[in-house]
Amino acid sequence: MAADQTVHGIPPSLSASVTGSFAYLTVRDRMPTILTKVIDTIHRNKNKFFEEHGEEGISAEKQAISLLSKLRNELQTDKPILELMDGLPDTESWNQYLQRQQRQQGDQEPVSWFKSPWLYVECYMYRRLQEAIWLNPPINNFDFFNEGKTEGFFESQQAVMTLCTYLGDIQKSMQTLSENQLSEYFNKLLQVSLWGNKCDLSISAGQKNSQDSSPIDSLNSLQSFILVDDSNAVWLTLNSSRRLEGSGKTTADRVDIVLDNAGFELVTDLVLADFLVSSGLARQIHFHGKCFPWFVSDVTANDFQWTIRQTMAANHKWMCKSGFQWQSYLKEGVWCYHDHPFWTQPHEFCDMAADAPELYAALQGADLVLFKGDLNYRKLTGDRDWAHTVDFSTALRGFEPAPLCSLRTLKANVQVGLQPGQAEKLTSQDPSWMTNGKYGVIQFHSPKLPQ
């Protein structure tokens, strides 16, 4: 099948085969830059590896750098994609996915960096980074993205304090809030969580990207940049879950948040989750993060716990109070954190029911699933060349474990669910609107209820 064919009304995957496209520039420029930074980070930690592990640490550092330099060369010269060799639990599934890509592409040429789906090769690069580290004990648990993530958190301290203070103020008056006030606060914190997604280190290839203005004060000026705003449908979903419980319970049972970036964005997600629980909009929050360092700044279990510990230790009344509250939610099981290998694989989410049925079943237990960020949006829509006016539900291709909402600032060439003429107008005003991170969506879909 030629890469540019549309089959059964489903458009082709975006790829770097179109010179000058955003996918092409990402594979040509951004991905090698990220690899170079990782090589540099490992090299700069050489003394630390020596102190902790002696000669063995130095030898592992050299080996890892050699594997990553080879990877960079393969990428830059459009070599074939290779099978993984590290024998981790997900290795076989990755290698099967490569065979699947090869079958789809036909036998004419091998699956390679510039000719294959961008979503696949970008995910594959991060998995190969993991392989290079994993194959080299004793440094095989080193998080080469950790410095950037912690820096992002500390540089956003002012915004974190403002946000925790704002949450504290809401909670002081929680008992007396009218339904309208509750809805207004919900919308504000949903938008804060949306714009928190601007702080993404993979889009800036690891350049500093912190939040230094007040996240609440900037909401009004950002309103016109929300291209699709389904926040009312999200609110109604939470509220109808509350009402369906009858007189016994007044809360939606569970909201799941599929996380994106660590640092400031994670704090916006934790604040939203705290509000949902303390306002009685949800009884339980399940967070989903990554099993290993991924897309530069994505949240791992380590980042999640570290962020809560840092918030608890802050020399600021409301930050510290929030941190202790979050820790107790985790202890009591009101909040829980999960990771699943599927989140660090290249599959579109419409494959989840077949390829990770246990994860799909877990998400079906939620009253609402919030998907944070750009990569999740690309996977929700298959990262395909959809017309901008195609319905979000069409692009999901049957992925509907529960009512779901994407909170995403645009950093890739895929966006569906727009009004006729909206994309054309944006293109004339701001040609890079799909990739510059200035625009956002709060986009909702709910499975049709059985009649």
Side-chain angles (χ1 to χ4, degrees):
M1 175 188 105
D4 56 357
Q5 271 178 296
T6 299
V7 179
H8 307 309
I10 297 161
S13 305
L14 297 169
S15 86
S17 57
V18 181
T19 306
S21 68
F22 190 67
Y24 171 81
L25 296 172
T26 298
V27 177
R28 189 194 71 181
D29 302 334
R30 226 170 71 216
M31 285 161 57
T33 301
I34 288 165
L35 276 171
T36 302
K37 286 204 149 128
V38 170
I39 290 169
D40 179 52
T41 302
I42 293 172
H43 185 64
R44 274 189 297 105
N45 278 275
K46 188 159 124 177
N47 291 345
K48 178 186 161 202
F49 298 145
F50 180 70
E51 280 162 25
E52 290 175 2
H53 311 290
E55 286 302 329
E56 213 184 339
I58 295 290
S59 156
E61 174 254 354
K62 284 202 177 95
Q63 274 298 111
I65 286 177
S66 154
L67 288 175
L68 292 172
S69 304
K70 177 176 173 290
L71 172 62
R72 185 174 55 188
N73 178 262
E74 287 168 25
L75 190 167
Q76 289 176 312
T77 53
D78 196 25
K79 291 282 186 297
I81 297 289
L82 304 175
E83 289 203 338
L84 295 171
M85 310 295 281
D86 55 12
L88 285 173
D90 65 347
T91 303
E92 192 181 338
S93 133
W94 272 94
N95 292 341
Q96 284 169 353
Y97 198 87
L98 170 57
Q99 288 158 12
R100 192 194 296 188
Q101 286 298 323
Q102 189 62 66
R103 281 196 300 277
Q104 282 173 3
Q105 213 167 287
D107 300 325
Q108 307 89 303
E109 48 189 325
V111 173
S112 71
W113 292 89
F114 282 82
K115 299 184 193 75
S116 305
W118 169 34
L119 178 64
Y120 170 54
V121 297
E122 196 170 11
C123 289
Y124 172 81
M125 180 190 86
Y126 287 97
R127 182 58 182 79
R128 281 281 298 274
L129 278 174
Q130 185 57 21
E131 179 181 59
I133 281 289
W134 179 256
L135 287 173
N136 287 295
I139 67 166
N140 51 343
N141 286 324
F142 180 65
D143 179 351
F144 27 77
F145 296 138
N146 187 54
E147 283 172 23
K149 289 186 279 196
T150 53
E151 225 168 80
F153 177 82
F154 288 124
E155 283 170 1
S156 305
Q157 286 297 280
Q158 202 51 54
V160 172
M161 288 176 203
T162 306
L163 201 49
C164 291
T165 307
Y166 183 73
L167 177 67
D169 288 344
I170 299 173
Q171 288 173 333
K172 277 191 286 194
S173 58
M174 197 70 90
Q175 301 311 315
T176 58
L177 294 181
S178 69
E179 193 80 352
N180 277 350
Q181 288 170 312
L182 199 60
S183 150
E184 200 176 309
Y185 283 131
F186 168 74
N187 280 330
K188 280 190 172 166
L189 291 175
L190 195 69
Q191 286 176 34
V192 167
S193 176
L194 161 67
W195 295 119
N197 184 237
K198 277 177 175 260
C199 304
D200 178 335
L201 292 174
S202 76
I203 196 75
S204 62
Q207 296 298 323
K208 289 184 177 176
N209 203 350
S210 54
Q211 170 78 21
D212 45 19
S213 58
S214 162
I216 303 296
D217 294 348
S218 49
L219 289 180
N220 282 345
S221 61
L222 290 168
Q223 191 68 48
S224 61
F225 292 92
I226 301 178
L227 305 180
V228 178
D229 187 354
D230 293 336
S231 44
N232 200 33
V234 182
W235 169 253
L236 289 172
T237 297
L238 282 172
N239 256 346
S240 64
S241 302
R242 288 164 83 200
R243 293 204 187 93
L244 288 172
E245 301 289 355
S247 55
K249 281 184 0 195
T250 57
T251 50
D253 203 39
R254 192 178 114 198
V255 173
D256 284 30
I257 304 178
V258 183
L259 298 167
D260 191 19
N261 299 299
F264 179 71
E265 181 175 0
L266 175 58
V267 175
T268 67
D269 301 334
L270 297 173
V271 166
L272 175 63
D274 190 348
F275 172 78
L276 290 174
V277 170
S278 57
S279 65
L281 282 165
R283 196 175 59 81
Q284 204 183 29
I285 311 284
H286 286 216
F287 295 95
H288 301 268
K290 307 297 193 298
C291 304
F292 55 79
W294 184 251
F295 275 68
V296 185
S297 43
D298 282 22
V299 179
T300 62
N302 193 34
D303 301 322
F304 189 81
Q305 287 147 5
W306 180 88
T307 302
I308 292 177
R309 285 200 305 274
Q310 289 300 325
T311 311
M312 286 165 76
N315 189 11
H316 179 270
K317 177 184 166 188
W318 293 108
M319 240 180 106
C320 180
K321 206 168 175 257
S322 292
F324 275 94
Q325 180 60 73
W326 301 343
Q327 190 63 30
S328 79
Y329 284 150
L330 283 169
K331 265 206 185 88
E332 293 156 16
V334 174
W335 284 8
C336 36
Y337 176 92
H338 310 271
D339 44 30
H340 187 286
F342 187 82
W343 303 122
T344 46
Q345 288 180 340
H347 306 68
E348 310 173 33
F349 288 162
C350 63
D351 292 342
M352 189 191 288
D355 289 331
E358 68 296 347
L359 178 60
Y360 194 81
L363 295 181
Q364 285 177 310
D367 292 291
L368 172 69
V369 186
L370 297 174
F371 284 92
K372 290 300 310 282
D374 206 63
L375 179 62
N376 278 323
Y377 192 85
R378 289 168 61 194
K379 289 182 168 191
L380 283 164
T381 59
D383 207 36
R384 294 173 177 278
D385 194 12
W386 296 105
H388 297 306
T389 50
V390 160
D391 268 1
F392 187 36
S393 56
T394 303
L396 290 170
R397 294 176 63 207
F399 178 73
E400 42 178 30
L404 61 89
C405 173
S406 167
L407 298 175
R408 170 237 187 177
T409 60
L410 281 64
K411 302 166 200 147
N413 280 91
V414 58
Q415 180 57 54
V416 296
L418 298 185
Q419 298 303 312
Q422 193 178 359
E424 290 74 8
K425 189 176 170 193
L426 282 160
T427 302
S428 67
Q429 292 168 347
D430 186 352
S432 64
W433 66 276
M434 271 201 282
T435 55
N436 60 20
K438 281 187 356 199
Y439 298 86
V441 295
I442 298 172
Q443 204 158 15
F444 177 79
H445 170 71
S446 187
K448 296 203 174 26
L449 292 170
Q451 295 303 310

